[in-house]
Amino acid sequence: MFDLIVKGGTLPDGTVADIGIKGDRIAEVGRIEAEAGTVIDATGDLVSPPFVDPHFHMDAVLSYGLPRVNASGTLLEGISLWGELRAQASVDEMVARALRYCDWAVSMGLLAIRTHVDTTPDHLRGVEAMLQVQRTVAPYLDLQLVAFPQDGLYRSPTGRQNLLRALDMGVGVVGGIPHFERTMEEGADSLRDLARIAAERGLMWDVHCDETDDPMSRHVETMAREVTRHGLGARAAGSHLTSMHSMDNYYVSKLIPLIAESGMTAIPNPLINITLQGRHDSYPKRRGLTRVRELQAAGVTVGWGQDCVLDPWYSLGTADMLDVAFMGLHVAQMTHPEEMARCFRMVTQDNARIMGLHDYGLMPGSLASLVVLDAGTPVEALRLRPDRLAVVSKGQIVAQKQRNDTRLALPGRPEQVRRRHDGTRA
Ligand SMILES: [Zn+2]
């Protein structure tokens, strides 16, 4: 007897299986004849472990247009708009926006998010708000918080002190922004300092690193060195790494092996990188996405992050990690069937590895968290970015949606149309 059985779904590797759930754990995967309190019929549908977003800014989410829109579309105008907004925003306001966004995330099967929290202002209201949100959503959504010195660890007079205060308050990941410090040297110093803080406190480390078109922004080199020195390995992630797009190929041929040697992971954010980078170019205009395929070929775990939804840096966004992967596969030209399937894994299991999630996946003993999609395969899910028919978090059904086919009124044509093309459903 199970509490919940998800029947007949197709797993991302193509296996057709029932999933039997007891309490908050997956008890069995295979052909299940037993009874259950509740059954979800997933025949012909894709059943995946939940989506994971390893890079987000939840303190700014859903603030688009406050105090006004970003007219230049640049990273720097976004940072300055955010500076005005964070001076005014109350804890309650930030909590309300974040919880609203978490509802969207759950509806899309996005059940784990790492969010950077700006630790620049002395009032630390963003930290207070996000810790409150983390506690509220904990029963159904894993929220990791990164202490992020948005205005620089050293460039902001109280930057270092406030980052440490945030960690003392319970923020669990150390951040960084070396390319925003005053000089290359201070950027490199900040990385040495932050790596030591992460190592001494036994925390993970995730740095906004080289989010610039400047090919000479080479902080990832220092970061990889510090990751190796302190043995942080996959507990460290380099976010963005956009300068690598513009770097000299010879230099990159030395750099990528150093990144791989360190064991650190990489998080490009394609929706944002394609939007913010290249703004100073005429033509040709650079894409500003880091070298995803080359990093993967060297054995580096690379995930796709969402970064922003409706905030000073990005005017769109849906909480759908398939939108993120869809943009990523286009910009990185990952169009081979195996590469597309990899893009799906990037927003599920690779992102889970980056966040260090335990008990993730569709195996007996794993946490019973999954999503049923109106698609037959991972590649079809990327093509359609379809409805999430059911979302289960830790054994509980937390979201459901009716299948909703379009009715046609065309002479001699079928009455209904669904754009699936995987052979399992018309
Ligand atoms: Zn970011």
Side-chain angles (χ1 to χ4, degrees):
M1 182 73 185
F2 296 93
D3 297 316
L4 173 65
I5 296 178
V6 180
K7 270 253 178 243
T10 305
L11 310 189
D13 67 1
T15 314
V16 174
D18 308 323
I19 298 174
I21 292 166
K22 285 183 188 170
D24 66 353
R25 298 277 154 177
I26 293 176
E28 197 176 329
V29 179
R31 183 140 180 76
I32 300 175
E33 299 295 347
E35 301 282 301
T38 310
V39 174
I40 295 173
D41 180 10
T43 308
D45 295 324
L46 178 65
V47 177
S48 169
F51 294 104
V52 178
D53 183 0
H55 189 114
F56 199 64
H57 293 265
M58 207 176 282
D59 48 2
V61 75
L62 308 190
S63 69
Y64 179 66
L66 299 175
R68 65 194 163 276
V69 300
N70 183 336
S72 68
T74 58
L75 172 69
L76 295 180
E77 184 175 345
I79 292 176
S80 111
L81 283 176
W82 168 242
E84 290 179 48
L85 180 60
R86 75 183 171 201
Q88 308 158 10
S90 68
V91 171
D92 289 350
E93 198 179 315
M94 280 187 274
V95 168
R97 286 196 274 102
L99 287 177
R100 198 158 155 244
Y101 176 75
C102 289
D103 294 342
W104 296 10
V106 168
S107 78
M108 301 312 287
L110 169 54
L111 298 182
I113 301 172
R114 172 182 285 177
T115 181
H116 294 255
V117 186
D118 188 358
T119 57
T120 301
D122 293 339
H123 56 68
L124 290 183
R125 284 199 294 271
V127 174
E128 196 185 320
M130 293 307 115
L131 284 166
Q132 194 178 317
V133 172
Q134 185 184 45
R135 285 191 297 272
T136 305
V137 302
Y140 53 88
L141 193 151
D142 291 319
L143 190 59
Q144 278 184 0
L145 306 184
V146 186
F148 174 47
Q150 170 80 72
D151 292 8
L153 190 72
Y154 303 143
R155 188 165 163 179
S156 165
T158 51
R160 188 176 191 280
Q161 173 192 325
N162 288 348
L163 176 130
L164 294 174
R165 282 174 59 211
L167 297 177
D168 290 340
M169 285 165 74
V171 171
V173 183
V174 179
I177 186 164
H179 57 277
F180 199 71
E181 304 294 347
R182 286 194 180 85
T183 63
M184 289 289 177
E185 275 167 27
E186 289 193 5
D189 285 345
S190 78
L191 289 169
R192 286 186 274 269
D193 196 359
L194 291 162
R196 204 175 310 113
I197 291 168
E200 283 174 3
R201 292 181 179 235
L203 299 177
M204 296 181 90
W205 189 31
D206 188 335
V207 177
H208 281 68
C209 195
D210 300 327
E211 188 183 5
T212 155
D213 292 320
D214 175 5
M216 298 309 289
S217 185
R218 294 178 170 188
H219 293 297
V220 63
E221 176 187 272
T222 307
M223 181 176 179
R225 179 71 192 97
E226 293 309 302
V227 172
T228 301
R229 188 189 313 283
H230 294 283
L232 293 171
R235 287 163 54 215
S239 281
H240 295 295
L241 307 178
T242 54
S243 73
M244 285 180 69
H245 182 97
S246 302
M247 282 173 182
D248 171 70
N249 288 335
Y250 190 87
Y251 172 67
V252 171
S253 75
K254 177 202 170 196
L255 176 64
I256 288 183
L258 291 175
I259 295 173
E261 172 197 54
S262 77
M264 65 183 273
T265 64
I267 311 169
N269 298 284
L271 293 171
I272 307 310
N273 297 154
I274 196 70
T275 305
L276 296 182
Q277 305 308 130
R279 289 274 179 168
H280 298 260
D281 292 354
S282 56
Y283 289 94
K285 233 180 235 302
R286 284 167 291 177
R287 299 171 182 216
L289 191 76
T290 196
R291 304 191 189 205
V292 176
R293 291 198 292 192
E294 292 77 4
L295 285 163
Q296 288 175 331
V300 177
T301 297
V302 184
W304 296 124
Q306 183 172 217
D307 206 0
C308 302
V309 170
L310 292 168
D311 70 9
W313 297 275
Y314 190 54
S315 45
L316 300 169
T318 60
D320 188 355
M321 292 308 291
L322 288 174
D323 278 355
V324 177
F326 185 78
M327 177 62 79
L329 88 81
H330 281 82
V331 180
Q333 299 180 322
M334 295 174 70
T335 49
H336 186 279
E338 281 172 21
E339 290 175 322
M340 291 193 286
R342 178 149 207 177
C343 283
F344 189 90
R345 288 201 303 277
M346 287 168 73
V347 290
T348 50
Q349 66 186 48
D350 291 350
N351 280 348
R353 177 170 191 267
I354 289 169
M355 281 182 61
L357 300 181
H358 301 296
D359 305 332
Y360 176 90
L362 299 180
M363 293 87 67
S366 301
L367 268 180
S369 296
L370 56 83
V371 52
V372 181
L373 297 108
D374 191 2
T377 64
V379 172
E380 187 167 69
L382 282 163
R383 183 173 66 80
L384 295 173
R385 283 147 287 131
D387 286 344
R388 313 302 129 101
L389 301 170
V391 180
V392 175
S393 179
K394 301 174 190 176
Q396 302 295 318
I397 299 174
V398 289
Q400 273 182 299
K401 186 166 186 180
Q402 291 287 333
R403 199 185 302 280
N404 199 4
D405 292 346
T406 303
R407 299 192 67 78
L408 282 183
L410 296 174
R413 299 304 306 156
E415 285 182 6
Q416 301 205 142
V417 67
R418 178 182 297 171
R419 295 168 303 146
R420 283 175 63 164
H421 193 62
D422 56 38
T424 58
R425 279 181 188 271

